[in-house]
Amino acid sequence: MEDKIQNIACDIGRGYTKYYSEFNGRIYKGMFKSIIGESRPLNYDDYVDPISIEVNGNGYFCGGLAELESHQAVRNSGDSKVSLTVQILISAILSRCAMTDNINIMLGCPNNMYKKSELMKVIDTYQGKKLTIKDKVSNTIKVVTINAVEIFKEADAVMMVSTNGEPSEDMDMAFISVGFRSTEISYYSKGQYIDKYSKTIPFGNQTILSTVQEQLKDRGIIHDLNYIDSNVGDYDDLKASAYALSQEVLTQKIEEIIKNQFSETKIIVAGGTALRMELDPRFELYEDAQFAVAIGLFKVAELTF
């Protein structure tokens, strides 16, 4: 690998892990389920896009392979950006897109975690760390040193990618990222960031799927949220109805925050969950909604490091 330092953006969600990087004229972009588990010998040809890595001597499955084949699959269900689960997910990202020996990482975080104490935890955990990562599918080894790491708000990453970091000075704008458990909002009035309207809302894909889960319970059918989410065919009608209603809920929650400014605000929405919702016509869906945060984080990395 090369001596140049590569910037890598990591959007580690509860449902999916997304990454984005540009290096030597190439784009590295991908996603996989935010799940890890113990590894064991398998014929990887039997699986679609399997991730099996060894990090400093310890073996893990990640993504869909962990969900299918690990006896103890662990989902990224917490807020921490330094948990073992997140550390392994980041290692999986590096196994896929680190093209040089030294890298910088830009990590997305919710509004309520964007503070110095969280940054120090992230720096203490990752900065200066040297990782030996073996991709057991391709049988290749990468030795990577994390030169520097920073955090940045997910909703502001949407602002960065949709306005190139320059929100309009002629209007009010709200940038929204709809995630699994929460929705992030960053608000700008005539180009000025407004903290009182920038919030973390406890609403996301989990909220929507929980509605379907309760409806199924009424029918005597018990499934966890992840099964309902990934199932195709059996409950599509219930999910379609829940996603249609979810836009009404999201609109009301945003109106409660920005109040009289709502009708005069340009609202840009991103996030994988947003792709499944029937958005209010007043909302604008960012064209690459699933990767908006990751791409925005990369833009911040290019300016920061």
Side-chain angles (χ1 to χ4, degrees), residues 10 64 88 126 140 143 185 188 193 202 226-227 239 284 286:
C10 302
I88 299 307
Y126 300 108
T140 57
V143 180
I185 302 177
Y188 288 78
Y193 176 75
N226 295 295
Y227 178 85
K239 288 196 283 187
E284 179 183 317
Y286 181 71

Side-chain angles (χ1 to χ4, degrees), residues 6-268:
Q6 177 184 3
N7 295 327
I8 298 176
C10 302
D11 177 17
I12 315 274
R14 292 183 179 87
Y16 285 87
T17 290
K18 285 83 65 181
Y19 60 89
Y20 186 89
S21 182
E22 297 176 11
F23 190 71
N24 282 351
R26 288 192 58 188
I27 291 175
Y28 300 89
K29 174 184 178 184
M31 61 181 284
F32 51 90
K33 290 185 176 181
S34 295
I35 308 173
I36 69 165
E38 85 290 342
S39 67
R40 56 193 173 86
L42 287 177
N43 180 3
Y44 299 120
D45 292 337
D46 295 336
Y47 301 89
V48 177
D49 198 22
I51 303 175
S52 178
I53 59 174
E54 187 176 286
V55 185
N56 294 340
N58 298 308
Y60 302 93
F61 289 158
C62 298
L65 187 61
E67 184 177 43
L68 287 171
E69 295 291 358
S70 291
H71 295 292
Q72 192 173 15
V74 180
R75 298 179 183 275
N76 182 36
S77 58
D79 291 326
S80 173
K81 298 302 180 184
V82 298
S83 66
L84 175 63
T85 301
V86 172
Q87 291 182 51
I88 299 307
L89 292 172
I90 289 176
S91 295
I93 289 174
L94 300 185
S95 76
R96 301 205 135 195
C97 75
M99 295 295 127
T100 183
D101 296 332
N102 293 283
I103 59 121
N104 298 321
I105 292 177
M106 184 63 69
L107 266 175
C109 70
N111 290 328
N112 57 12
M113 290 184 66
Y114 188 64
K115 46 193 175 183
K116 187 174 181 179
S117 59
E118 293 299 328
L119 174 60
M120 295 312 299
K121 291 178 187 176
V122 168
I123 290 174
D124 288 344
T125 302
Y126 300 108
Q127 192 156 297
K129 191 170 185 178
K130 187 174 184 177
L131 300 172
T132 300
I133 307 168
K134 180 177 182 180
D135 184 334
K136 298 173 76 173
V137 178
S138 63
N139 199 32
T140 57
I141 295 176
K142 293 180 178 180
V143 180
V144 180
T145 297
I146 301 173
N147 179 68
V149 61
E150 273 284 353
I151 60 174
F152 194 74
K153 289 182 285 187
E154 294 159 2
D156 272 340
V158 178
M159 180 275 292
M160 288 294 300
V161 73
S162 59
T163 71
N164 202 29
E166 297 180 355
S168 175
E169 296 182 357
D170 299 320
M171 68 175 77
D172 289 0
M173 302 184 74
F175 303 92
I176 297 174
S177 175
V178 186
F180 184 76
R181 189 182 294 176
S182 63
T183 293
E184 302 297 319
I185 302 177
S186 277
Y187 194 92
Y188 288 78
S189 178
K190 308 294 189 295
Q192 175 66 48
Y193 176 75
I194 307 297
D195 184 73
K196 68 179 179 180
Y197 294 151
S198 301
K199 306 285 185 182
T200 297
I201 302 173
F203 171 84
N205 200 34
Q206 177 179 264
T207 317
I208 301 165
L209 294 172
S210 294
T211 301
V212 178
Q213 185 181 53
E214 291 304 316
Q215 290 175 304
L216 291 175
K217 284 182 181 179
D218 291 340
R219 301 179 184 183
I221 302 171
I222 307 298
H223 288 307
D224 65 29
L225 297 184
N226 295 295
Y227 178 85
I228 295 169
D229 191 25
S230 59
N231 180 276
V232 177
D234 293 339
Y235 315 119
D236 289 357
D237 56 336
L238 293 177
K239 288 196 283 187
S241 176
Y243 281 111
L245 288 172
S246 66
Q247 172 53 42
E248 293 293 324
V249 177
L250 179 61
T251 301
Q252 289 173 11
K253 289 183 178 294
I254 295 171
E255 282 186 296
E256 288 171 3
I257 293 172
I258 63 179
K259 300 180 176 63
N260 296 335
Q261 284 73 27
F262 182 81
S263 61
E264 300 175 357
T265 299
K266 181 176 181 179
I267 300 173
I268 298 176

